[in-house]
């Protein structure tokens, strides 16, 4: 049964699903993995005290065992629709159909889908970055704001290795993923303390790799957000900035996040797949147009605040 109010074009949908922006490194799907859900979904959030407070387990010869009550809270939520439209005039399609084309040339409609898909992905990247790099989404004891000599851009006074190792021991679930913005990573990988530790020598020049950092911290993934966004209004000169700021998140991301018994810092509820389609718009253009629509239905969720640690302002 169709879940859309306009014709879905299988060829365009394939373009929408398969398109990846090659100019930037988008990490949203790795940071908050997608889980298929219904449009309206629910999940149970348990108190950490239920799993860590041990009641009396000794049972007398004729007594009843201690009764345990798990106080789970049912959280109801709903995916939101995110989409964009574009108009492709029929005269452009007619001109494209009439011209000689190399095998790699895509139609104006397919190109429109690719560009729309890139913007949909970038918008999601911004949402995830602003969610994960938000101190309000971490417990008060699971975060630190760096300033001055403690910032990791101060090579002479700061010690990011000690800070990261200590922070990894704070959450109830030891983080398995480090998330950094590109600017923070560029400075961090040149820090003398990390270079010395990675090479087991006194050298202070050069830089470490992501794998070096993962090995030093004993984590599975080091994710670097390298995307850019233009903050200027339409028609003004571009003002580019990094999507992921100068912060660092230590997250426990469960590979079994769909399992109710497996904690994860966060996830993305996804209804269906990204869609792309077109329908006639006879009022646009002298010869009419086709309206192209690309979108998806998702909701980013922070499910376990005690499964993460946040460093704010890691560099100056």
């Amino acid at each position: 049964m169709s879940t859309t109010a306009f014709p879905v074009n299988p060829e365009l949908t394939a373009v929408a699903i398969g398109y990846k922006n090659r100019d930037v490194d988008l990490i949203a799907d790795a940071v908050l993995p997608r889980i298929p859900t219904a449009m309206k979904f629910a999940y149970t959030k348990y108190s950490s005290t239920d799993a860590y407070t041990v009641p009396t387990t000794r049972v007398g010869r004729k007594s009843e065992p201690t009764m345990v009550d798990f106080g789970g809270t049912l959280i109801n939520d709903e995916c939101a629709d995110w989409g964009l439209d574009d108009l492709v005039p029929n005269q452009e399609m007619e001109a494209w159909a009439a011209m000689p084309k190399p095998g790699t040339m895509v139609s104006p409609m397919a190109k429109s889908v690719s560009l729309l898909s890139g913007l949909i992905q970038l918008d999601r990247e911004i949402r995830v970055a602003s969610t994960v790099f938000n101190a309000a989404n971490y417990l008060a004891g699971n975060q630190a704001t760096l300033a001055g000599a403690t910032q990791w851009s101060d090579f002479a006074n700061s010690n990011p290795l000690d800070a990261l190792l200590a922070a990894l021991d704070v959450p109830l679930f030891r983080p398995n993923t480090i998330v950094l913005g590109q600017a923070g990573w560029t400075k961090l990988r040149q820090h003398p303390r990390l270079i010395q530790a990675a090479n087991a020598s006194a050298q202070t020049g050069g830089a470490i790799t992501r794998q070096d950092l993962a090995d030093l911290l004993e984590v599975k993934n080091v994710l670097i957000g390298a995307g850019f966004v233009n903050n200027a209004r339409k028609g003004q000169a571009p003002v580019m900035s990094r999507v992921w700021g100068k912060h660092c998140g230590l997250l426990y991301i469960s590979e079994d996040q769909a399992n109710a018994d497996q904690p994860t810092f966060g996830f993305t509820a996804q209804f269906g797949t990204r869609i792309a389609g077109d329908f006639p718009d006879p009022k646009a253009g002298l010869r009419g147009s086709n309206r192209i629509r690309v979108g998806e239905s998702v909701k980013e969720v922070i499910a376990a605040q005690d499964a993460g640690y946040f460093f704010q302002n890691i560099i100056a």
Side-chain angles (χ1 to χ4, degrees), residues 149-266:
T150 63
Q151 289 180 301
W152 301 341
S153 49
D154 187 335
F155 292 171
N157 298 298
S158 65
N159 191 334
L161 181 58
D162 283 358
L164 286 165
L165 288 172
L168 285 167
D169 287 341
V170 174
L172 287 176
F173 311 102
R174 190 181 191 276
N176 58 8
T177 301
I178 310 297
V179 181
L180 291 153
Q182 181 63 57
W185 170 236
T186 297
K187 282 291 186 181
L188 181 63
R189 67 190 305 238
Q190 299 178 75
H191 200 289
R193 297 267 188 171
L194 292 173
I195 294 172
Q196 291 172 347
N199 293 283
S201 69
Q203 73 177 86
T204 59
I208 65 170
T209 66
R210 299 185 195 189
Q211 190 59 54
D212 289 334
L213 184 62
D215 291 341
L216 285 172
L217 300 179
E218 296 183 335
V219 298
K220 183 178 180 181
N221 297 310
V222 176
L223 303 176
I224 310 301
F228 280 98
V229 61
N230 177 22
N231 294 312
R233 293 182 179 180
K234 188 173 182 178
Q236 295 182 340
V239 179
M240 298 295 181
S241 65
R242 296 284 187 182
V243 173
W244 294 84
K246 300 176 180 180
H247 315 299
C248 175
L250 315 182
L251 313 177
Y252 177 72
I253 300 174
S254 172
E255 295 179 354
D256 302 315
Q257 64 270 61
N259 183 337
D261 291 332
Q262 295 295 319
T264 185
F265 176 77

Side-chain angles (χ1 to χ4, degrees), residues 291-307:
R291 183 177 293 269
I292 312 298
R293 179 165 298 169
V294 174
E296 61 183 0
S297 300
V298 297
K299 177 63 180 294
E300 292 82 19
V301 176
I302 301 301
Q305 290 181 309
D306 44 13

Side-chain angles (χ1 to χ4, degrees), residues 1 8 17 23 44 70 107 227 258 300:
M1 180 181 295
V8 174
I17 293 174
D23 297 328
T44 303
F70 294 106
S107 72
E300 292 82 19

Side-chain angles (χ1 to χ4, degrees), residues 37-179:
T37 66
M39 189 67 176
K40 293 184 178 181
F41 64 96
Y43 61 97
T44 303
K45 197 166 188 177
Y46 293 98
S47 168
S48 59
T49 58
D50 290 340
Y52 290 86
T53 303
V54 181
T56 300
T57 59
R58 180 74 167 86
V59 182
R61 189 170 68 88
K62 291 188 176 183
S63 62
E64 296 182 357
T66 302
M67 180 67 70
V68 176
D69 181 24
F70 294 106
T73 302
L74 184 65
I75 307 296
N76 292 299
D77 214 329
E78 183 175 0
C79 294
D81 293 332
W82 309 89
L84 291 170
D85 281 2
D86 184 26
L87 285 173
V88 177
N90 288 336
Q91 65 188 49
E92 292 184 7
M93 288 300 300
E94 293 171 3
W96 180 83
M99 66 184 290
K101 297 175 283 294
T104 57
M105 186 175 183
V106 298
S107 72
M109 290 176 63
K111 187 63 176 178
S112 173
V113 170
S114 292
L115 295 173
L116 291 174
S117 298
L119 290 174
I120 293 292
Q121 287 180 294
L122 182 55
D123 185 48
R124 167 165 159 75
E125 189 83 359
I126 294 169
R127 294 198 308 272
V128 172
S130 62
T131 298
V132 173
F133 280 179
N134 184 347
N137 289 325
Y138 296 81
L139 298 180
N142 288 28
Q143 54 184 278
T145 300
L146 307 185
T150 63
Q151 289 180 301
W152 301 341
S153 49
D154 187 335
F155 292 171
N157 298 298
S158 65
N159 191 334
L161 181 58
D162 283 358
L164 286 165
L165 288 172
L168 285 167
D169 287 341
V170 174
L172 287 176
F173 311 102
R174 190 181 191 276
N176 58 8
T177 301
I178 310 297
V179 181

